[in-house]
Amino acid sequence: NLQDMAGTICGDAFTLVIGLNRYVHDTFVERGITVNSCNDLLPYCTELEPLARVACSKTCGCDDPSGRLMLAGPVDGCPSTCMSTVYHKAVLKNMPCTEKPPSEMQSDVAWADRARQMGTKLTQVLTHPKYQDEMRNLCKHGNGNCTLMFQTMGCSVVEYWKEITQEVVGSPHNLCTGDFLGSELKTRPFSIFCPETCGCKGSGKNETADALVARYCPGTCPP
């Protein structure tokens, strides 16, 4: 098990674990790619294949809520500790409590990258035989193109997803917490990028910055 080999610490295990180092090197050599350090793996951090994230979780941004990486859960190679590190909390605590309207998100390069990751991962999950019949309509807003759906809907996809998963699978799933399809698919919480839609702003709870960060909201959100 690669995750067992790398450990649960959010760091670049590639430089510390000899067995993992050799495995990663040999795997990428088969693809014609030479890997001598985590910097060599940067271009592959957002691929579906989790190997780069397992080996180089720090370099890949597993603990950076402001980055482009959406596949940041343990199932996709990032150690579970990455979303609770001091660095993760500090970055989230100072992130702006703002979100762009869908029209602006459509042309946002970072959002386009996140949409690609989410769409590709969701498409992979939905191609499993047990989902093919009942879930073909989940991305109907993008005419079956999941990436296009996320890119064009922006934060409005949060409410859409609750409604469409209730309709198709019988229970609503909340993207604000990163819950796409339960344990089958989890990503970085949308509350980080969509704090208004996800109720981080103006909650009326008079929360401290630390309390906001604990539920993956930017710490700058006003009560």
Side-chain angles (χ1 to χ4, degrees):
N1 184 293
L2 286 175
Q3 198 72 69
D4 289 341
M5 190 185 296
T8 58
I9 296 174
C10 191
D12 289 344
F14 177 82
T15 59
L16 303 174
V17 182
I18 295 176
L20 178 63
N21 181 308
R22 186 179 303 116
Y23 179 82
V24 172
H25 180 273
D26 292 348
T27 300
F28 276 89
V29 162
E30 291 177 2
R31 298 170 57 181
I33 301 165
T34 301
V35 175
N36 295 312
S37 70
C38 282
N39 284 336
D40 295 327
L41 289 173
L42 262 175
Y44 312 101
C45 286
T46 59
E47 285 189 346
L48 282 181
E49 164 59 51
L51 186 53
R53 296 185 290 279
V54 170
C56 301
S57 57
K58 181 67 177 177
T59 295
C60 282
C62 289
D63 67 344
D64 183 3
S66 66
R68 296 184 180 184
L69 180 63
M70 286 300 291
L71 305 178
V75 172
D76 289 301
C78 288
S80 58
T81 55
C82 286
M83 291 181 65
S84 60
T85 64
V86 172
Y87 178 77
H88 185 282
K89 292 176 181 177
V91 173
L92 187 52
K93 193 171 185 176
N94 291 292
M95 284 181 67
C97 188
T98 56
E99 66 182 57
K100 296 179 180 179
S103 58
E104 289 185 27
M105 292 183 91
Q106 288 179 32
S107 58
D108 185 290
V109 176
W111 180 253
D113 194 6
R114 295 179 190 126
R116 175 189 58 78
Q117 295 171 58
M118 293 182 289
T120 305
K121 179 69 177 183
L122 183 58
T123 300
Q124 180 194 55
V125 172
L126 298 184
T127 55
H128 191 285
K130 71 177 182 178
Y131 290 128
Q132 284 180 349
D133 293 331
E134 60 183 323
M135 294 191 177
R136 285 175 179 161
N137 291 325
L138 280 175
C139 298
K140 64 183 181 182
H141 195 282
N143 293 319
N145 184 326
C146 298
T147 296
L148 179 65
M149 178 184 74
F150 289 116
Q151 188 167 358
T152 56
M153 292 192 76
C155 290
S156 66
V157 77
V158 170
E159 290 305 316
Y160 167 81
W161 196 251
K162 289 178 184 177
E163 295 171 3
I164 197 66
T165 50
Q166 175 68 62
E167 175 187 326
V168 176
V169 302
S171 61
H173 289 269
N174 188 2
L175 298 182
C176 290
T177 62
D179 173 18
F180 267 79
L181 292 170
S183 60
E184 294 281 355
L185 178 54
K186 287 183 177 292
T187 68
R188 199 179 293 284
F190 271 53
S191 53
I192 296 170
F193 316 105
C194 305
E196 296 177 34
T197 298
C198 290
C200 298
K201 186 176 183 179
S203 65
K205 297 179 181 179
N206 200 28
E207 295 172 286
T208 64
D210 289 336
L212 284 164
V213 167
R215 61 187 185 97
Y216 301 112
C217 289
T220 58
C221 290

